Amino acid sequence: MADQHMQDDPQQLELLRVCRIGRAQGLKGEVTVQVFTDDPEWRFEPGSVLYAHDGDDEYVVESSRTFKQRWIIKLEGCDDRSAAEALNGLELYGEADDPDDMLEADEWYPKDLIGLEARMAEGNAIGAPEGSVVGKVVDVVDAPAQSLLKIRLANPVTTGTAKDGTPIMEKTALVPFVDELVPDIDLGEGYLTLDPPGGLIPGL
């Protein structure tokens, strides 16, 4: 999946959140970053241009490296620890990819997935009818290991009873966004298909 959080203002560049700057690293202007992109090698390549939230202020990557699974970058003009500390908390954005290139690469932005109808795939592992509606994608959760699709169930399931006797309803399900479980996505028709194992989705 591609970078997160698209800008909505059509007057601005079409920007996607790439990272949030953290603490200064060392004395030469390097900073640690919290990454929000699936392509950090490309986004943090020397010479890459990143932007502040409004798209007006540009930041050029001078160098980047990884240390203990954490990305550390240096921006041009940020040459000492004081300058690095002043950037703490700044979120940086990159320009959106070309939509046609993304389709060819089998990639989607989270905003494209939200609102899609979730249907059971043909020949699914649990034998549910092909095309039966599971629900609708309402969010894409950025988990550490992989992204998760949050699906609002078309048919909520009662899973128990509260102390006051009120039924406990499961109204949503989280499905790992991987090819094995989400084999097909059709943005034009507004749906995706699911092939979940038993027990992953309440009621199935």
Side-chain angles (χ1 to χ4, degrees):
M1 192 172 59
D3 312 42
Q4 310 276 326
H5 302 285
M6 176 167 282
Q7 290 284 83
D8 294 324
D9 188 347
Q11 301 303 316
Q12 301 288 341
L13 290 171
E14 193 171 32
L15 298 178
L16 301 162
R17 188 170 63 159
V18 171
C19 67
R20 179 186 295 120
I21 294 179
R23 295 180 178 179
Q25 177 75 20
L27 303 175
K28 298 181 179 180
E30 290 185 318
V31 293
T32 60
V33 293
Q34 181 181 2
V35 177
F36 301 115
T37 173
D38 291 335
D39 299 301
E41 293 84 359
W42 172 54
R43 291 294 187 183
F44 301 143
E45 186 178 43
S48 296
V49 179
L50 300 173
Y51 302 88
H53 184 270
D54 56 12
D56 291 336
D57 297 327
E58 295 185 1
Y59 298 84
V60 179
V61 178
E62 182 176 311
S63 62
S64 61
R65 60 189 176 93
T66 56
F67 179 70
K68 293 184 178 180
Q69 298 184 327
R70 179 179 290 272
W71 276 91
I72 299 170
I73 67 173
K74 184 182 183 305
L75 301 172
E76 291 184 2
C78 182
D79 298 321
D80 57 41
R81 188 174 182 86
S82 294
E85 289 175 343
L87 297 175
N88 193 341
L90 177 67
E91 292 192 343
L92 296 179
Y93 295 72
E95 290 192 59
D97 299 325
D98 183 89
D100 292 334
D101 291 342
M102 290 183 65
L103 285 175
E104 289 185 13
D106 233 17
E107 294 182 338
W108 294 268
Y109 291 125
K111 73 176 187 68
D112 296 327
L113 302 174
I114 294 173
L116 294 183
E117 187 176 73
R119 307 173 183 174
M120 292 303 297
E122 179 182 5
N124 59 82
I126 59 177
E130 175 190 352
S132 57
V133 176
V134 177
K136 180 177 290 188
V137 179
V138 294
D139 197 5
V140 180
V141 182
D142 188 22
Q146 69 218 336
S147 296
L148 302 170
L149 300 180
K150 184 176 182 180
I151 298 174
R152 184 193 301 128
L153 300 177
N155 299 300
V157 178
T158 302
T159 57
T161 304
K163 291 182 179 179
D164 62 0
T166 304
I168 298 174
M169 303 291 290
E170 284 286 349
K171 299 180 179 180
T172 62
L174 293 175
V175 177
F177 185 44
V178 295
D179 290 341
E180 293 80 5
L181 303 185
V182 189
D184 297 298
I185 297 174
D186 192 325
L187 298 183
E189 295 296 325
Y191 75 91
L192 54 77
T193 62
L194 302 177
D195 186 6
L200 179 63
I201 298 177
L204 296 180

